[in-house]
Amino acid sequence: MKLCTVEDYAVSVKLAHFMSPEVGSSLMWFLKRWCLSYLLPVENYYQELSPTLIGCLGKDTDCAKVVVSFVIQKIQSNLFYFQSEPILLRDTVDLFCDIVCVKQKSTYIVKTDSMRNLIRLHEQMEPGTLPPNILRGLCKGFMLAGVALQDPQDMNSYYEMVLTPIQQKFKNLLSQENFTRICHEEKVQKIVIDILECFIGIAKGSVMASVEILFHFLAPMLSELPVFLTVYSNYQVIVQLILELFGQCAKYMLCYLTPLDSKRLYESSLATVQAYAKCNAGRFSSEAFNEESNFQDLALVLDLLTFILSKDCIDLCLYENNEEVTITASDVSLFGLNFIMPLMTLDLLKFPSLCAQYYRLLVLINDIYPEKICNLPPELLNTLLRSVELGLTNFGSDIVQACLDFVQGMATYTFRHNMLNTQFSQGLKPFLKLLMDLTLSHQINSDLISSASTCIYALICCYPEEYQMLVQSLIQMQTDHMISERLAAAFTNLMNNITMTCERQPKLRFRENFDKFIANVHGFLLVK
C-alpha cells in the first residue's frame, strides 16, 4: 500500500514516466489476491481465523473501511493516470471486478465516496479515452457492485446514478437532426463505440437480482440498434459490437427474463439479424474473406442464435400467472437462421471456427426441437439439408460427426412419428445412398464408422424399399460373378437377426454386423 501511495504521488507531480507499468501491474496482481483473502474475510468459510486479522480487517471495522476506500481510490488513480498502459489497466479492472463480486466486500464498496468518485470519473471521461475492453470491464464491475444493496430503493438509486449518464449520451446522439450526416465522423464513432462497450459491460454484469432493472434500461436502446447497424453497415467494428451486445444479452440475461421481456429481446435480436443479412446479401465471397476478422460478425450471429436457443434448456424465470409463452426460443433461432443461411456459402464454411459454430447450432436445434426442423419452409429446409450434405463430404471428422448426429436424430424422429410421407422425409432419403457410398469407398474416417452405421440403420428403418434397391444396384454393378456373390452374402449377413424398430438393441446389433460387413467388403470391393 505504501508502494501504491508512492506511485500515486509520483504521477501527481508529473513523474509518471519514471514509474514502471510492470511494477504497477504487480501491485494490482498482489492487491487482488490480498483483498480476496484478507480484506473483509467471509468468516463462515473458515473454522479458525486470526483474531488480529478479524479485529483489523474484519466486518464493521474502521480499518477495513479505510482500506476499501484506499483500494477503490487506487483503481480510480490508475484509470486516470495510466490510460496508455493496457496491461496495467486490465489488471486494475480485474481487481475491481473480482472484489465487487464478493457480496461481503461490495456491501462496503458501494457506499464509499471513492466509489462515487470512480463512477463520476467514468461519466466525465472523453470518448475513446479508455481501451474498449477496459470500459467494458469497468461497467461490468459497476453492475456487479450494485447487487450488494439489499434495499430495492437503494439498488434503483445506485443503478440510476450509474446508468442515466450512459442513457443520456445515447439519447443525445439519436436526437441530433443531422445524425445521419455526422455519423461517419471519427468523434461520433468514438461515442458510439464507447456506448456499445458500456452496454456490453452492463449485460455481462447482469445477475438474477439485477437483471430486471438492467434489461428495462437496455431494452428501449436495443430496439434502436437495427437502425444503427444499417447506418454503420460498412464499419465492421461497430457492426460486430452491436451483434456481440445482443449475444451477451442473450447469454447473461435471457435465462432470467419473463416471457414478455424475452419476447422484447427476441424481436430486437431478429430485427438486427435481418438488418445485418439485408446489408450483406451478395457481399460475401472467398476473395472478401481471406482474413478471419472479416467473418467474425457471422460467427457473432451464430453465437447469438445459439445463446437464444439455450433459453429452452435453461429457464430460471419465475413465470407470472398472467404471462403466456407464445413464442419459443427455437422458433427465434430457426427464423434467424433463415436470414443468414443464404450467406453460409461453401467458401465461408471452409473457415474451421465458423464451420464448427454453424453445425453445432444445427445439432443443438435438432436435439431440442426436431419437429421444428421437419416443418421448416421448403426453401430453408432444402438449404439446410444441402449444408448437411456438404458437412459429410467436405470437412473434417468433427463436422462429419455433427452431421451424422443430425441425420440420425432426424431419421429416428421421422420413423418414430410416422412422418415418412412428408417433404422432410423426401429430403432425407438421399442420405441413405450417400452414406453407403461414403462408407464403402473409404471416404468416412474409420473412427466414425460406428456412428455412420447407426445413422444408416435409422435410415434403413425409414426407407427399407430404397435400401433393397440400393443393395441390388450395388450387386448388379459388379462385373465379376464371384464378387457379386460375396457382396450379396455380405449384405445378407448384415441384416441377420436385425429388426427394423429403430430401438437401441437392434441398433447395437446392426452396428456390430456393420463393422464386420465393412471389414469384409473392403477386402474385395472397389467402389469409385
Side-chain angles (χ1 to χ4, degrees):
M1 292 173 73
K2 284 185 177 180
L3 278 171
C4 289
T5 303
V6 169
E7 190 176 62
D8 283 352
Y9 177 75
V11 297
S12 68
V13 294
K14 304 189 185 306
L15 297 176
H17 55 285
F18 289 115
M19 307 307 297
S20 165
E22 288 290 337
V23 173
S25 290
S26 297
L27 287 173
M28 295 299 101
W29 182 95
F30 176 81
L31 273 181
K32 172 180 169 180
R33 284 150 182 80
W34 182 81
C35 288
L36 290 175
S37 300
Y38 292 95
L39 179 61
L40 294 164
V42 184
E43 298 179 29
N44 295 337
Y45 291 175
Y46 307 94
Q47 292 182 348
E48 294 182 24
L49 271 175
S50 162
T52 305
L53 284 176
I54 291 297
C56 183
L57 299 170
K59 183 179 178 182
D60 296 326
T61 60
D62 291 337
C63 184
K65 295 176 183 177
V66 170
V67 174
V68 164
S69 293
F70 177 86
V71 171
I72 299 302
Q73 190 174 340
K74 178 57 182 167
I75 290 169
Q76 177 186 344
S77 175
N78 281 5
L79 292 173
F80 185 78
Y81 288 115
F82 294 101
Q83 293 167 359
S84 60
E85 299 293 342
I87 297 175
L88 174 55
L89 291 179
R90 181 201 65 196
D91 291 338
T92 302
V93 170
D94 284 348
L95 162 64
F96 178 59
C97 289
D98 284 351
I99 60 175
V100 297
C101 277
V102 184
K103 192 173 182 180
Q104 287 81 353
K105 303 178 195 298
S106 58
T107 300
Y108 291 87
I109 292 171
V110 292
K111 296 176 182 178
T112 62
D113 290 336
S114 299
M115 184 67 165
R116 284 188 283 274
N117 291 335
L118 182 59
I119 294 170
R120 199 173 298 116
L121 172 67
H122 166 255
E123 177 187 341
Q124 294 172 353
M125 279 185 171
E126 289 295 317
T129 300
L130 291 177
N133 62 319
I134 304 305
L135 189 58
R136 182 183 302 193
L138 188 60
C139 287
K140 175 185 174 181
F142 288 148
M143 299 306 107
L144 293 172
V147 179
L149 296 167
Q150 298 292 325
D151 185 85
Q153 188 172 351
D154 289 344
M155 185 184 287
N156 281 323
S157 299
Y158 169 80
Y159 282 127
E160 187 175 338
M161 176 177 64
V162 179
L163 299 175
T164 300
I166 304 173
Q167 185 182 51
Q168 197 58 50
K169 287 180 184 177
F170 186 81
K171 288 181 177 179
N172 291 342
L173 201 62
L174 284 181
S175 62
Q176 297 185 56
E177 295 180 1
N178 60 344
F179 174 68
T180 53
R181 183 171 57 81
I182 66 171
C183 64
H184 304 297
E185 296 178 4
E186 185 179 359
K187 181 180 178 181
V188 176
Q189 288 182 47
K190 285 182 178 180
I191 297 174
V192 171
I193 290 171
D194 271 17
I195 290 173
L196 291 173
E197 291 289 355
C198 289
F199 287 169
I200 292 173
I202 292 166
K204 294 184 76 170
S206 301
V207 295
M208 182 182 282
S210 62
V211 70
E212 184 178 359
I213 296 173
L214 299 184
F215 181 75
H216 287 171
F217 163 77
L218 280 178
M221 288 169 283
L222 292 177
S223 64
E224 301 281 356
L225 292 183
V227 176
F228 257 67
L229 190 142
T230 303
V231 171
Y232 286 106
S233 59
N234 293 321
Y235 295 84
Q236 191 180 38
V237 172
I238 295 177
V239 169
Q240 289 184 2
L241 283 174
I242 292 172
L243 295 174
E244 186 179 0
L245 170 59
F246 279 100
Q248 297 304 313
C249 287
K251 182 178 181 179
Y252 290 100
M253 291 181 151
L254 185 56
C255 64
Y256 303 121
L257 296 182
T258 64
L260 184 59
D261 286 339
S262 298
K263 185 179 179 182
R264 293 177 72 185
L265 182 56
Y266 294 155
E267 289 172 348
S268 298
S269 300
L270 282 178
T272 302
V273 173
Q274 187 175 15
Y276 169 80
K278 184 177 180 181
C279 291
N280 291 282
R283 172 184 166 191
F284 298 146
S285 67
S286 57
E287 292 79 11
F289 278 80
N290 286 329
E291 296 183 9
E292 185 172 344
S293 60
N294 289 329
F295 69 85
Q296 286 176 346
D297 43 2
L298 259 182
L300 290 169
V301 174
L302 291 174
D303 273 342
L304 167 60
L305 299 179
T306 304
F307 291 140
I308 287 176
L309 188 62
S310 66
K311 172 74 169 180
D312 283 348
C313 304
I314 304 174
D315 190 352
L316 303 178
C317 167
L318 298 176
Y319 285 41
E320 298 178 11
N321 294 330
N322 60 342
E323 290 188 273
E324 184 179 346
V325 180
T326 57
I327 182 171
T328 66
S330 57
D331 292 326
V332 178
S333 289
L334 281 169
F335 199 57
L337 200 60
N338 189 24
F339 291 132
I340 66 162
M341 190 79 79
L343 308 179
M344 303 299 293
T345 63
L346 177 59
D347 289 321
L348 280 178
L349 289 173
K350 288 178 180 177
F351 291 96
S353 58
L354 186 66
C355 186
Q357 281 181 288
Y358 173 71
Y359 286 102
R360 188 163 57 241
L361 177 60
L362 290 189
V363 173
L364 188 58
I365 297 174
N366 174 42
D367 288 343
I368 302 174
Y369 284 112
E371 70 276 10
K372 304 283 187 183
I373 295 179
C374 292
N375 296 317
L376 286 175
E379 186 176 348
L380 177 58
L381 178 61
N382 291 335
T383 305
L384 187 148
L385 291 176
R386 279 199 303 272
S387 68
V388 174
E389 183 179 343
L390 285 174
L392 288 169
T393 55
N394 287 273
F395 306 116
S397 297
D398 291 344
I399 304 303
V400 173
Q401 180 66 66
C403 292
L404 289 173
D405 291 341
F406 177 89
V407 174
Q408 181 188 338
M410 294 313 304
T412 302
Y413 180 84
T414 300
F415 179 82
R416 289 177 178 172
H417 291 79
N418 195 24
M419 300 180 66
L420 300 175
N421 295 321
T422 62
Q423 182 173 2
F424 176 80
S425 177
Q426 297 303 311
L428 197 63
K429 189 183 296 184
F431 284 95
L432 175 58
K433 183 178 187 307
L434 174 63
L435 287 174
M436 288 295 293
D437 288 345
L438 292 175
T439 52
L440 291 174
S441 60
H442 302 266
Q443 294 184 58
I444 284 188
N445 192 304
S446 58
D447 295 337
L448 300 177
I449 289 296
S450 293
S451 297
S453 66
T454 53
C455 189
I456 289 171
Y457 170 77
L459 289 167
I460 293 174
C461 290
C462 293
Y463 314 110
E465 295 179 2
E466 284 72 13
Y467 170 71
Q468 292 300 331
M469 292 170 59
L470 178 61
V471 169
Q472 292 303 317
S473 174
L474 285 170
I475 293 172
Q476 292 170 9
M477 284 171 56
Q478 308 308 315
T479 55
D480 188 319
H481 180 66
M482 184 178 295
I483 290 179
S484 296
E485 290 183 348
R486 291 180 66 182
L487 185 59
F491 274 115
T492 301
N493 293 332
L494 173 62
M495 302 306 295
N496 189 29
N497 294 325
I498 303 296
T499 56
M500 296 291 105
T501 58
C502 228
E503 298 299 331
R504 183 173 181 273
Q505 287 302 324
K507 186 186 296 183
L508 293 177
R509 282 197 294 270
F510 182 86
R511 188 169 70 184
E512 292 176 5
N513 288 357
F514 195 82
D515 288 342
K516 297 174 184 176
F517 168 80
I518 287 295
N520 179 21
V521 169
H522 279 173
F524 64 84
L525 186 67
L526 177 63
V527 178
K528 294 184 179 180

